[in-house]
Amino acid sequence: MDVDEGISIPADGSDTDSVYAEEHMSITATLTSSVYDYKYENGRRYNAFRPGEYWAPNDDAAQQHMDINHHLFLMTLNGDLHLAPITPNPHRILDIGTGNGLWAIDMGDMYPSASVIGNDLSPIQPRAVPPNVQFEVDDFCDEWTYTPESFDFIHARSLFGCVADYPKLYSQVMKTLKPGGYYEQIEIDVVPKSEDGSIAGTAFEHWGPYTIRASQGFEKPMWVVNDIRQHFIDAGFEDVTEKRYKWPMGGWAKDPKMKEIGLFNGAAWDRGCEGWVMFLFTKYLGWSPEQQNMQEPYDWDAYASTFFPQAEHLVSLAETAEKAGEKEKASELFLRASAVYRISRFPVPRSRKQQEAWTLGKAAALRGMSLRPASEGGIHEVQIPHTHRTADEGETIPVYHVLPPNANKDHPVPCVVIYTGLDGYRTELMVWAKGWVMRGVAVVILEIPGTGDSPALKTDPKSPDRQNDSLLDWVDQQEGIDSKKVLVWGFSTGGYYAIRVAHTHRERLLASISLGGGCHHMFDSEWLDHVNALEYPFDLAGSLCYKFGYGDDMAKFKKEAKKFSLLEDGTLDKPCTKLFLVNGTDDEIFPIDDYYLALEHGDPKEARFMKGIKHMGEPESFMVIVKWIYKLLDIKADPVEQMKTLPFQPKY
């Protein structure tokens, strides 16, 4: 990886008031519906603005790859967002080819004095951003419309395969930088190398030549890592500096930092390589999609094993910290290990190794929570007797439970029952516990049928009713819980069960919230036929097939899936408790049509849709729901403080 820095012009100019030249204000693309009219090819999604000008997809799998790469760059630069010695109070910063915008967002947080702009062909950046950050749909290879000498710092990452005319690009960078401003560009070498010759005879040996050949047909070079320094000099940049870093592939390195970089680099290749070659190899090398053999990793044991070394490494670090009496550090590291084990068993633990990851992930999560002070939740596991079970179902319902310290027989408290999703289980959703306990609310977290440790029969549409009977009987027996103030919050697939329980157990619940769930169209064959190429990063249809008890028999699942429909079994037309439906209008996991359908049937319901946002409408939806619960339970507090209890950044 190269990092190039350059001072463009001696510092003798002045700032400007506007970043845009007035005569060109109307040229920059406006975010209209046309830029969201994405192009689909070979199961991947591509930019609608200037289609065909960029080779990489912009779908959810591609964005996950961008997330991983952002983390790789941060690790490589020791947590720094840049190496250029820019002023501590810059006014304007530009990120060209911003991708999903993570770098621009982090820069906005780091430099509140600056107006940060990110441009890209795809409008895939989040809507919830710092107030000083904005994103544009634009082609940075076109003539720039920014006012000359208007930016303190211009940044670019991974432009390989993006630019046909580098002299033109750098000329525009020079023109737009303020005197004394900096330009920094990070590039990745697309030709893998090994110091010991170990890639000889492997696919990696052929990767570089194939990629270079394909990009020659595309007429935008991919192998630019050795050329950009000279391009900088030729463009007139001063004091050009180049630094090179190595990224291992996999977890073989002995150095702890390099080992972690290698593991994340392996994950980046796993998530990214199909997108890297699908466009270029099919169009310019004449390959078929099948030839590339870049399908989802159906060898689930091999996939799961990739992440075990990093999870085991984190557990080892946690145990060392625990022995040293560093409880906070040990807790965080155990919980991070659990998160890596979650990736390993993602999306559902189908194989032996993935099931092992689920077991180890639970153990790490509980060890991490046990080291937290009581004021932060005091979560413990409870085995609730499944008293309403059939002979084919498990004897207990494992849940995570926490009760506020002041809750007792004389002062029972409300309770939020959290239904987990298809791939996020109680080990992940327990992050909500601390905030609710802080507000004097008890929490119970459990898995839905067909996931995690749920004892409910996967293939029986009525098994969740029996699980809820047993669960709510137990809740009624808890002296510290007010059984008249119990509400359910279902996340994603758990939202389907939140809708169901609102009808089947309406007299036992104060309310139910369905976040990103479905109820009918989610089981349509047509939806299941297309959903694998949409928002979900893995095989959503196959994961649902497994979750509902059909193994890998997709044909049978599609044929029988409508037996789970809450419309066809009459559930939606029954009376229900207070039901709040929340989702993003552009959900590509469960169609928003299901919520419109639910609103058309049965009792009146409340709904809030996040326009233009995808699955679950997050993060905006979280605040909407928390505020709704506060109002329902008459909690007089600032919901922002509760949201701050959710862990976003590691401390250690």
Side-chain angles (χ1 to χ4, degrees):
M1 184 186 75
D2 282 354
V3 178
D4 285 287
E5 311 164 301
I7 300 176
S8 60
I9 307 170
D12 58 2
S14 60
D15 197 2
T16 57
D17 291 331
S18 174
V19 73
Y20 297 108
E22 292 182 4
E23 65 270 26
H24 295 302
M25 284 289 285
S26 63
I27 296 179
T28 298
T30 303
L31 285 178
T32 62
S33 60
S34 62
V35 299
Y36 293 101
D37 187 19
Y38 297 123
K39 308 304 177 185
Y40 292 85
E41 191 171 322
N42 295 323
R44 301 307 299 265
R45 193 188 73 186
Y46 297 87
N47 51 288
F49 180 68
R50 302 288 172 82
E53 288 296 316
Y54 185 46
W55 51 270
N58 65 5
D59 48 30
D60 201 62
Q63 292 177 53
Q64 288 196 349
H65 169 253
M66 296 176 201
D67 292 344
I68 296 171
N69 263 10
H70 181 64
H71 186 61
L72 274 167
F73 290 132
L74 288 177
M75 286 193 294
T76 302
L77 301 183
N78 297 314
D80 292 331
L81 290 167
H82 58 85
L83 296 181
I86 66 175
T87 172
N89 296 297
H91 294 135
R92 302 192 191 281
I93 297 172
L94 176 63
D95 186 29
I96 61 175
T98 193
N100 60 359
L102 292 184
W103 185 88
I105 292 169
D106 286 351
M107 287 292 283
D109 285 332
M110 177 174 287
Y111 296 105
S113 65
S115 172
V116 182
I117 298 173
N119 63 33
D120 201 89
L121 295 175
S122 295
I124 56 174
Q125 303 78 29
R127 290 172 179 260
V129 300
N132 60 330
V133 176
Q134 67 182 75
F135 295 109
E136 304 169 347
V137 175
D138 204 358
D139 186 349
F140 66 79
C141 292
D142 280 350
E143 291 295 327
W144 288 16
T145 60
Y146 305 112
T147 300
E149 300 184 5
S150 58
F151 287 102
D152 301 277
F153 184 36
I154 299 178
H155 173 267
R157 278 181 181 170
S158 303
L159 298 190
F160 54 89
C162 296
V163 182
D165 188 346
Y166 277 99
K168 176 185 175 181
L169 172 65
Y170 294 146
S171 173
Q172 300 199 92
V173 171
M174 285 278 286
K175 178 182 177 182
T176 312
L177 277 171
K178 292 178 182 180
Y182 284 85
Y183 175 60
E184 182 169 300
Q185 181 174 338
I186 300 179
E187 289 300 330
I188 300 174
D189 194 339
V190 300
V191 180
K193 298 177 175 64
S194 61
E195 296 175 347
D196 61 357
S198 58
I199 67 170
T202 70
F204 288 110
E205 182 180 24
H206 304 290
W207 178 273
Y210 278 136
T211 302
I212 293 170
R213 202 170 91 209
S215 71
Q216 289 170 343
F218 189 45
E219 298 183 348
K220 293 182 179 180
M222 298 284 283
W223 200 21
V224 300
V225 71
N226 294 320
D227 301 328
I228 54 175
R229 176 183 172 84
Q230 190 60 47
H231 282 317
F232 273 40
I233 295 171
D234 293 343
F237 288 101
E238 300 177 1
D239 301 331
V240 176
T241 301
E242 180 182 83
K243 294 186 178 180
R244 294 197 171 225
Y245 301 88
K246 294 179 181 180
W247 281 358
M249 173 68 73
W252 52 265
K254 294 181 179 179
D255 178 78
K257 177 182 175 181
M258 296 301 286
K259 183 183 185 72
E260 186 172 9
I261 287 175
L263 288 167
F264 274 94
N265 191 28
W269 274 76
D270 181 66
R271 296 306 303 145
C273 62
E274 181 189 82
W276 300 339
V277 302
M278 187 63 76
F279 176 90
L280 292 172
F281 283 25
T282 56
K283 288 188 178 296
Y284 299 104
L285 297 184
W287 289 24
S288 69
E290 291 73 25
Q291 272 182 284
Q292 296 175 65
N293 193 27
M294 298 296 180
Q295 302 303 313
E296 296 291 353
Y298 291 118
D299 185 347
W300 294 108
D301 275 344
Y303 165 78
S305 298
T306 302
F307 302 96
F308 266 61
Q310 177 62 10
E312 292 164 349
H313 174 62
L314 288 169
V315 168
S316 176
L317 293 177
E319 290 174 339
T320 300
E322 184 179 15
K323 290 177 182 178
E326 300 174 292
K327 289 188 176 182
E328 183 184 56
K329 181 178 181 180
S331 175
E332 179 187 303
L333 291 168
F334 276 127
L335 293 175
R336 284 169 59 187
S338 178
V340 175
Y341 278 125
R342 186 245 178 141
I343 299 172
S344 181
R345 52 102 175 146
F346 194 92
V348 289
R350 284 176 262 214
S351 72
R352 180 195 60 79
K353 199 68 176 177
Q354 286 187 305
Q355 290 163 1
E356 182 184 353
W358 168 226
T359 299
L360 294 172
K362 285 185 291 183
L366 284 174
R367 291 181 73 178
M369 290 307 302
S370 70
L371 295 171
R372 293 292 173 99
S375 61
E376 294 194 11
I379 284 182
H380 61 283
E381 187 170 79
V382 176
Q383 298 288 334
I384 296 176
H386 192 1
T387 54
H388 293 269
R389 72 186 184 93
T390 64
D392 298 325
E393 294 178 314
E395 296 182 356
T396 61
I397 306 169
V399 305
Y400 286 172
H401 174 49
V402 60
L403 202 62
N406 64 335
N408 53 53
K409 181 179 179 180
D410 298 322
H411 183 252
V413 299
C415 180
V416 173
V417 176
I418 293 178
Y419 288 172
T420 62
L422 175 67
D423 51 64
Y425 298 163
R426 64 188 191 273
T427 46
E428 289 75 53
L429 274 293
M430 68 180 181
V431 296
W432 286 93
K434 179 181 176 181
W436 286 119
V437 170
M438 181 176 72
R439 296 298 180 229
V441 178
V443 177
V444 175
I445 310 169
L446 73 158
E447 281 93 35
I448 56 177
T451 70
D453 291 330
S454 170
L457 197 60
K458 295 181 181 182
T459 55
D460 184 357
K462 293 186 177 181
S463 69
D465 305 341
R466 296 190 293 272
Q467 178 167 294
N468 286 322
D469 284 339
S470 299
L471 169 68
L472 293 174
D473 284 353
W474 176 84
V475 169
D476 288 345
Q477 296 166 11
Q478 305 310 301
E479 293 183 342
I481 295 178
D482 185 344
S483 61
K484 291 185 172 65
K485 293 184 178 180
V486 176
L487 57 92
V488 165
W489 182 355
F491 287 70
S492 190
T493 313
Y496 160 80
Y497 292 95
I499 296 175
R500 183 177 184 90
V501 76
H503 294 80
T504 59
H505 294 72
R506 67 185 182 88
E507 295 181 352
R508 304 186 69 175
L509 296 175
L510 177 63
S512 186
I513 301 127
S514 175
L515 174 60
C519 61
H520 173 72
H521 293 297
M522 63 182 284
F523 300 111
D524 286 346
S525 290
E526 185 178 3
W527 180 261
L528 293 170
D529 284 340
H530 291 88
V531 77
N532 283 356
L534 300 178
E535 183 177 351
Y536 200 69
F538 278 81
D539 61 326
L540 178 57
S543 299
L544 290 171
C545 180
Y546 179 87
K547 172 250 179 294
F548 282 102
Y550 289 84
D552 59 1
D553 193 344
M554 181 60 66
K556 187 176 181 182
F557 175 55
K558 289 179 182 178
K559 182 179 179 180
E560 299 182 3
K562 279 297 177 68
K563 75 179 185 180
F564 297 100
S565 164
L566 302 183
L567 176 67
E568 296 201 0
D569 72 359
T571 297
L572 292 182
D573 290 309
K574 296 177 180 178
C576 68
T577 189
K578 187 184 292 288
L579 178 56
F580 190 26
L581 307 172
V582 184
N583 201 0
T585 58
D586 293 355
D587 191 346
E588 293 181 349
I589 290 180
F590 298 127
I592 192 66
D593 308 68
D594 271 356
Y595 277 1
Y596 289 111
L597 186 68
L599 292 170
E600 294 171 353
H601 289 262
D603 288 344
K605 305 163 185 70
E606 295 185 55
R608 178 69 178 273
F609 300 156
M610 311 299 159
K611 187 175 181 180
I613 302 181
K614 293 187 178 180
H615 185 53
M616 299 205 303
E618 57 177 317
E620 290 93 330
S621 58
F622 294 149
M623 184 64 74
V624 168
I625 291 171
V626 170
K627 287 182 177 179
W628 190 84
I629 295 175
Y630 276 24
K631 183 177 180 180
L632 185 69
L633 299 179
D634 195 29
I635 296 174
K636 308 296 185 183
D638 183 1
V640 173
E641 293 304 311
Q642 176 173 344
M643 296 299 292
K644 288 180 179 179
T645 66
L646 297 175
F648 290 108
Q649 294 290 338
K651 182 177 180 180
Y652 298 98

